[in-house]
Amino acid sequence: MRSLSEIDTISKRALRAKGFSWGTSEEIGKSIKLLELFGLPGVKNLNQYLKIYDKNKFQKIKLISKSNMNKKKFLCPISLGISFLDQVKNLDKLNSIQFNKIAYPILFLPFVSRASEILGKKILVIIDEKEFILNFNQSIFGSYYKNEIWEFANSIIIKFMKNQNSFSEIEWKEMTKFANETFVDETDELKHKSAGAGLTDND
């Protein structure tokens, strides 16, 4: 089994060989490593992307708006990912964003995962009705975990989720009550014992 370090190194070198800058190549190395760590087919999709890259001049996007409708070529997932990561603090204010026609959408997900960590909030991504929740760059939870190449997606919706607890305030108070039961009132005997703690010379 290949190590995550090997996956990172080979991915960024492969991208660099295709003419991408070292900066972009570094970003892809991190991204593919992240996908494989979370159980998604990063290497498989990047490999196929690079095979057809020279023939398919995918559309690049620099400035992202609330609605990004592309009528011609499919969007490059790497260009889109880097732009998204660079602009995420402003994009968060839009609450939701929509794209259409993106190539190899799996390659876009790790950029959103890292954006989730930057914002400190979860992000929901819906790709052709398949849902993914990006959790602060700690995990990717989704309804799609097939080990296959996903060439094209027609629709992507991104929603910035509000941070909120999964439990009620009553449940929190009940848990706090249980936790407080671990504290024992300090008696004179306990005070006496703790006073000499650590003073015994065992040498």
Side-chain angles (χ1 to χ4, degrees):
M1 183 175 178
R2 300 298 181 185
S3 69
L4 293 175
S5 178
E6 287 179 296
I7 291 170
D8 185 340
T9 300
I10 292 299
S11 297
K12 66 185 177 186
R13 286 182 178 176
L15 214 69
R16 180 58 181 155
K18 281 292 183 180
F20 287 82
S21 69
W22 271 117
T24 299
S25 302
E26 290 279 353
E27 292 296 329
I28 280 298
K30 296 174 187 175
S31 295
I32 302 304
K33 179 176 69 174
L34 198 64
L35 285 172
E36 294 293 335
L37 178 64
F38 293 154
L40 290 166
V43 171
K44 186 183 292 287
N45 278 270
L46 179 62
N47 183 53
Q48 184 60 30
Y49 169 87
L50 293 176
K51 283 181 180 179
I52 67 170
Y53 176 75
D54 293 330
K55 294 180 180 179
N56 293 267
K57 298 299 182 182
F58 297 118
Q59 185 73 36
K60 294 183 179 180
I61 185 169
K62 292 184 177 180
L63 186 62
I64 299 173
S65 60
K66 188 173 181 65
S67 180
N68 306 270
M69 298 294 103
N70 184 36
K71 295 181 179 179
K72 297 180 180 181
K73 298 178 180 179
F74 279 83
L75 290 172
C76 169
I78 297 173
S79 172
L80 177 59
I82 291 174
S83 294
F84 184 84
L85 203 56
D86 288 343
Q87 300 170 48
V88 70
K89 290 186 178 180
N90 290 324
L91 297 176
D92 179 34
K93 300 171 185 176
L94 301 176
N95 296 319
S96 67
I97 304 169
Q98 187 174 3
F99 302 93
N100 74 328
K101 299 183 70 174
I102 179 173
Y104 298 89
I106 286 290
L107 302 180
F108 174 61
L109 286 178
F111 292 98
V112 186
S113 180
R114 289 158 61 194
S116 173
E117 181 181 25
I118 291 171
L119 292 177
K121 61 171 60 176
K122 296 179 181 179
I123 300 176
L124 171 65
V125 180
I126 304 171
I127 306 176
D128 287 350
E129 300 182 355
K130 299 176 180 67
E131 295 188 356
F132 301 86
I133 296 178
L134 296 305
N135 300 282
F136 316 111
N137 209 28
Q138 297 298 313
S139 65
I140 297 177
F141 176 78
S143 57
Y144 178 89
Y145 278 98
K146 293 182 180 180
N147 185 30
E148 63 185 22
I149 296 169
W150 190 354
E151 291 185 286
F152 302 108
N154 291 311
S155 172
I156 292 185
I157 299 172
I158 297 174
K159 295 182 179 181
F160 299 95
M161 304 173 70
K162 293 182 179 179
N163 288 334
Q164 56 186 13
N165 298 319
S166 62
F167 48 85
S168 68
E169 189 62 25
I170 292 175
E171 290 168 326
W172 180 252
K173 289 180 179 179
E174 289 173 344
M175 285 289 291
T176 302
K177 184 178 179 180
F178 286 131
N180 288 339
E181 291 177 3
T182 61
F183 299 106
V184 181
D185 291 335
E186 196 172 32
T187 64
D188 289 337
E189 183 181 358
L190 287 173
K191 289 179 181 178
H192 179 72
K193 288 181 178 178
S194 61
L199 298 179
T200 303
D201 189 354
N202 293 323
D203 292 337

